[in-house]
Amino acid sequence: MSLREQFGKDVLLTGWGHSRFGKLTDETLESLIVQVATEAIGNAGIEPGQIDEIYLGQFNSGMMPLAFPSSLALQVSEQLANVPSTRVENACASGSAAFQQGTKSLLAGTAKTVLVIGAEKMTHAGADVVGAALLGADYDMAGKASSTGFTGLFAEVAKHYEKRYGPVSDVLGTIAAKNHRNGVDNPYAQLRKDLGEEFCRTVSDKNPMVADPLRRTDCSPVSDGAAAVVLSVAPTGGATAPVRLAGFGHANDFFPTERRDPTAFTATRASWQRALGMAGVGLGELDFAEVHDCFTIAELLMYEAMGLTEPGQGARAIEEGWVFKDGKLPVNVSGGLKAKGHPVGATGVSQHVIAAMQLTGTAGDMQLANPRRGAVQNMGGVGIANYVSVLEAL
C-alpha cells in the first residue's frame, strides 16, 4: 500500500532549488535561503502567496550567532507575510526532518502547499567551534574535548566493524574514490576532482589519517549551502513534471552508545523498512539511492542497513560493482556528502532535490538512464535519527 493509497492523497515535489555547496564567503544564511526558496517557488510555477507553511531545517548548535532563522524565508516576498514558519532541528538529519514535517502538514490537511528549506553556514566558524557543535549530537561526547571530533566517533564504528568482520580500509578507499568520481559531474558539489582509488586508499601528506582507520578522504567536508523544495497535494504547472513521494520512514535509536550495537545501525534499518513498506516496494525496485555518507564507513553500513547485503558483507556491493553509476543500484551519483559537501541542515533537502532531478531527467551530467524510482536516506548522529523517503516519477 503506497502513501497515496494509505492517506487518499498525493504528496508531490513540484519545484526545487539548490545552491552550490562549499566555502561560500560571499553568501549569508539569509542570502542562501532566499536564493533557493525563490528558485523552488519559481520552478513550481506558483506565486509566493500560495505557500501555506514553511519548514526550515537547520542544525547551527552555536556555529553562528543567529539562532532563530525561521522567518528568513519571508525575505523572498511581501506575499509571505504572516505565513507560519518553523525551524526544525534533528542534527545532521534536520533537512529530512523538515521535509517530513512538511509532508505531515499536507497529509493532515492543514496545508496544500508547503515550502521546505535546508540551510547551513559553517565555514566561517573555526574548526574548534564546528567540532564542538557537531559533538553536541553525541550523548557521550557532548561538551567534552576531542582531538578527532565526530570523525573519532565513526572511526570507533569502523574499528568495531573490523574486529567483527575483518579489514575494510581498502573498501572505504574505493567508496571514497567512487563518490569523488561522481562528484565531478555535480555542478553543486564542493569537491569536483577524481582522486582515484590509489590516492583514497593510501595515507599520505595530502591524505593524512584523521582518526584511525579513517583518512581525510573518508570524511565529508565542512560546507555552506542550501536547498529547497515545494511540496503540494496536486500538480502546480511548474517547469518540470512533479515527483511523487511514495513512502517515508523515520526511526530513532537510543542515545547512549552502550545501548546500541555499533555496527548494526538498527534504527537506520527500521527507517528503511518503514519507507519501503509504505511505498509497497522492495529494494530491487529502486533505480538509485542517495545515502548519508558523512564518513565512508557510514555508506558501507548503509548497504547492509538497507538490505542490499547481509551484515558484514557490505564490501560485496563495492567489489561486485552494484553501487557504481552503471550498477544495479547506483548509490550517491551526486558524489554524496563525501564530494558534494555536508552543510548539515541542507543535506536532507539537497538529497531530495537531487533525487527529484534524476526522476525528471534534469540531472545534467549526473543523469542516470530513465530512473523511475529512487530513495533518499538521511541520518543524524551515529545512527540515531534516521529518515528515508521513496520517490517516484509520475
Side-chain angles (χ1 to χ4, degrees):
M1 179 180 289
S2 68
L3 179 152
R4 186 183 187 189
E5 293 168 331
Q6 183 172 339
F7 293 97
K9 65 174 70 175
D10 264 328
V11 173
L12 302 177
L13 288 70
T14 53
W16 42 83
H18 201 297
S19 80
R20 186 170 60 87
F21 281 6
K23 187 173 184 179
L24 308 180
T25 55
D26 294 333
E27 300 285 356
T28 64
L29 182 66
E30 179 179 332
S31 69
L32 287 168
I33 288 171
V34 169
Q35 174 194 332
V36 297
T38 300
E39 185 180 347
I41 292 169
N43 184 248
I46 63 174
E47 294 296 322
Q50 293 175 258
I51 300 293
D52 299 315
E53 198 164 4
I54 300 168
Y55 287 99
L56 170 66
Q58 190 214 23
F59 178 55
N60 193 351
S61 194
M63 287 186 287
M64 63 179 300
L66 181 64
F68 182 43
S70 58
S71 279
L72 289 180
L74 274 59
Q75 300 295 85
V76 169
S77 170
E78 291 289 333
Q79 294 181 41
L80 291 175
N82 302 320
V83 171
S85 185
T86 305
R87 176 194 172 204
V88 180
E89 190 281 315
N90 219 359
C92 297
S94 295
S96 285
F99 181 91
Q100 286 201 11
Q101 289 304 118
T103 295
K104 291 173 181 178
S105 287
L106 297 185
L107 295 178
T110 56
K112 293 183 178 179
T113 306
V114 174
L115 174 63
V116 177
I117 306 165
E120 207 78 63
K121 277 286 289 181
M122 303 173 69
T123 65
H124 63 284
D128 56 338
V129 174
V130 173
L134 296 177
L135 281 176
D138 185 75
Y139 180 88
D140 302 288
M141 289 302 298
K144 297 179 181 178
S146 170
S147 60
T148 56
F150 230 78
T151 307
L153 301 181
F154 274 89
E156 287 302 310
V157 171
K159 288 176 183 177
H160 281 289
Y161 191 94
E162 289 191 317
K163 185 176 181 180
R164 187 174 297 183
Y165 299 118
V168 295
S169 181
D170 283 354
V171 171
L172 298 185
T174 303
I175 291 173
K178 168 183 75 73
N179 291 347
H180 275 288
R181 190 178 309 120
N182 288 345
V184 172
D185 294 329
N186 184 351
Y188 306 116
Q190 181 170 354
L191 305 175
R192 300 186 67 187
K193 186 175 182 180
D194 185 353
L195 298 178
E197 285 192 34
E198 184 64 27
F199 180 85
C200 292
R201 286 180 166 190
T202 306
V203 176
S204 65
D205 290 342
K206 292 185 177 181
N207 189 27
M209 189 71 74
V210 180
D212 191 21
L214 302 183
R215 298 146 296 212
R216 180 178 291 165
T217 49
D218 293 305
C219 311
S220 58
V222 173
S223 313
D224 306 327
V229 63
V230 173
L231 301 179
S232 309
V233 294
T236 57
T240 61
V243 170
R244 175 182 288 131
L245 177 64
F248 63 90
H250 172 203
N252 269 51
D253 209 338
F254 294 106
F255 211 3
T257 303
E258 63 185 21
R259 299 199 65 181
R260 290 178 276 119
D261 182 330
T263 69
F265 277 34
T266 305
T268 312
R269 184 181 297 272
S271 64
W272 274 99
Q273 292 170 344
R274 289 169 183 173
L276 292 170
M278 183 183 289
V281 300
L283 195 69
E285 296 171 85
L286 300 180
D287 297 309
F288 67 92
E290 288 287 323
V291 309
H292 193 97
D293 62 321
C294 50
F295 301 93
T296 51
I297 183 64
E299 180 167 330
L300 180 67
L301 283 168
M302 209 53 56
Y303 303 156
E304 301 174 12
M306 70 170 74
L308 187 58
T309 77
E310 293 297 317
Q313 297 181 23
R316 285 190 64 199
I318 278 286
E319 293 165 354
E320 300 189 24
W322 300 344
V323 293
F324 288 86
K325 195 168 183 177
D326 58 354
K328 68 178 184 179
L329 183 63
V331 172
N332 287 336
V333 173
S334 68
L337 286 60
K338 176 78 269 294
K340 182 178 62 177
H342 183 28
V344 177
T347 286
V349 182
S350 166
Q351 291 173 310
H352 285 85
V353 170
I354 295 294
M357 293 170 65
Q358 284 287 354
L359 293 168
T360 54
T362 58
D365 290 340
M366 294 183 285
Q367 188 64 53
L368 295 167
N370 195 35
R372 305 302 299 166
R373 185 180 291 112
V376 165
Q377 181 271 329
N378 188 200
M379 177 174 69
V382 186
I384 303 298
N386 302 271
Y387 295 82
V388 176
S389 298
V390 177
L391 306 177
E392 59 187 22
L394 290 182

